[in-house]
């Protein structure tokens, strides 16, 4: 159901209005907490996700690319031109199509842990781009889910959704509730080994850590500070990616990819 | 030698003028082909590199952080305030310090290959951010050098320098001259095994490819198209990072990091 809209102030496209200002964390003024997908690829992933899509807004060419998907669902799609779209959204959008969805209930962390072979558990990953890139890597490398410890950003923030190429909409994630890092005991109780990634020289090189065939929860901290001393101490094992001298560290999403590959690829 | 500059039109800071317009490929109009470093960390790496530094421009606080380095060299440093700097450079620079250097002769590709254990060889990596991130990962994971095949961008473009955190100034790189992919024979003649990274399902999983202890040239293509059929055919081995269903690919710098780790970490 495609409706042509020519007035940028049309109330039917209010969900897409002033995204730069409105797309904040829901706990801040102006934040609506909606999920925004940008571009054909990410919009497709949103349509294929559990998030209830509210509507789409796009230029004719991009909506045409989505014709098959739109025919299969009962969601309003608003067709407009690039200038009207820019006036409503607040900036020029070269991807030409947006979709907006409501949030969905998050899965239970323990239920996720029970059925996972490899989980990522994050502490203090606050940068939206790093978080999005980490989800993209988790999806690509077959990680079963992401648990959010303290001081992590919202993976559904618009920039994270975009950088993840929509994979935050596919990889299950949940906050790990309760005392930190005590809550890691819940993962151990599910049969997962808690493996902390750290650049510390006394950690074991990840390639010889024998992750083969084990069910693991990979504990990852922010670029810069890394994992807290408490989180490092609470892990069963500490592993490192051997680094060349004079280099501070890898980007957290890149380090995560190396670790995900080491854990997932080692299935016997 | 610190000189205070208050006039954004002062000709002594011409190297830093209108960077957005001037910082183009040297073969385009307005491009000066200089190497620009932004921020204290990257400026330090430039000062520590073989590139002949011409001058620095910064606010007092950032120049003070570099006092030890500046005392050891004979290079003009221009001190100014943030507004004058923004007026000269053309945008507000929150890192507060810039350095500019001339280019230096590139090493010989064959000489680089002769002494390398692990080399990256790029085909068609045109995105400046991906290229910068790839150099950062090469530095972190101990790759000995990067060879540029056809259709690669200039690693010394300002955005690449920044994203690499200055590691393009440390990791040796050189164009791989001559016929492509025939020039790969030069690497084989240096005793390197040419290993192509590809998502193709008939390639061998990289974790079981036995890179252990071998000297390898890792052949990497652009995200999206990947390596050309000619380059794939010219490699000795084709390896893949096993990917989950429904995911297109990893970012090229991220895939490179996984491959670099697999090759470097497997030293017996």
């Amino acid at each position: 159901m495609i409706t042509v809209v020519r007035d940028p102030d049309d109330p039917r496209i209010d969900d897409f209005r002033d995204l730069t200002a409105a797309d904040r964390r829901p706990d801040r003024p102006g934040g609506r907490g909606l999920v925004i997908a940008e571009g054909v690829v990410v919009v497709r992933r949103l349509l294929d996700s559990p998030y209830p899509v509210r509507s789409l807004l796009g230029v004719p060419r991009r909506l045409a690319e989505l014709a098959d998907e739109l025919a299969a669902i009962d969601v309003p799609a608003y067709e407009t031109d690039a200038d009207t779209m820019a006036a409503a959204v607040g900036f020029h959008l070269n991807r030409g199509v947006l979709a907006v969805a409501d949030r969905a209930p998050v899965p239970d962390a323990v239920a996720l842990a029970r059925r996972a072979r490899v989980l990522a558990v994050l502490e203090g990953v606050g940068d939206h781009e790093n978080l999005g890139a980490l989800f993209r890597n988790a999806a690509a490398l077959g990680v079963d889910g992401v648990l959010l410890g303290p001081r992590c950003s919202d993976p559904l923030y618009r920039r994270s959704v975009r950088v993840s190429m929509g994979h935050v909409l596919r990889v299950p994630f949940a906050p790990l509730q309760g005392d930190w890092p005590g809550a890691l005991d819940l993962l151990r109780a599910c049969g997962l080994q808690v493996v902390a990634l750290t650049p510390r020289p006394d950690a074991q090189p990840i390639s010889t850590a024998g992750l083969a065939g084990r069910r693991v929860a990979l504990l990852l901290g922010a670029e810069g500070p890394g994992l807290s001393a408490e989180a490092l101490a609470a892990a069963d094992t500490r592993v490192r990616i051997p680094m060349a001298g004079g280099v501070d560290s890898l980007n957290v999403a890149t380090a995560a990819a190396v670790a995900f590959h080491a854990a997932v690829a080692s299935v016997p």
Side-chain angles (χ1 to χ4, degrees), chain A residues 90 98 116 133 200:
Chain A
L98 292 166
R200 294 195 180 192

Side-chain angles (χ1 to χ4, degrees), chain A residues 117-234:
Chain A
R117 200 187 81 73
V118 177
L119 271 188
V121 185
L122 312 184
E123 185 195 48
V125 179
D127 181 277
H128 292 107
E129 294 198 15
N130 284 346
L131 194 60
L134 190 146
F135 270 85
R136 179 183 175 189
N137 297 343
L141 295 163
V143 168
D144 301 302
V146 177
L147 298 182
L148 306 168
R151 302 184 315 283
C152 290
S153 290
D154 176 5
L156 295 178
Y157 182 84
R158 182 165 59 92
R159 190 145 33 117
S160 297
V161 175
R162 185 178 64 229
V163 173
S164 82
M165 299 185 69
H167 290 298
V168 293
L169 308 169
R170 297 184 45 180
V171 177
F173 66 87
L176 186 56
Q177 311 276 10
D179 163 55
W180 179 264
L184 294 172
D185 287 340
L186 295 171
L187 308 182
R188 256 188 290 269
C190 295
L192 292 160
Q193 185 184 18
V194 179
V195 178
L197 190 69
T198 170
R200 294 195 180 192
D202 58 347
Q204 201 176 354
I206 190 167
S207 57
T208 62
L211 302 183
R214 298 211 193 135
R215 295 178 58 229
V216 294
L218 279 167
L219 195 50
L220 302 159
E223 201 174 328
L227 288 167
S228 66
E230 296 73 29
L232 279 172

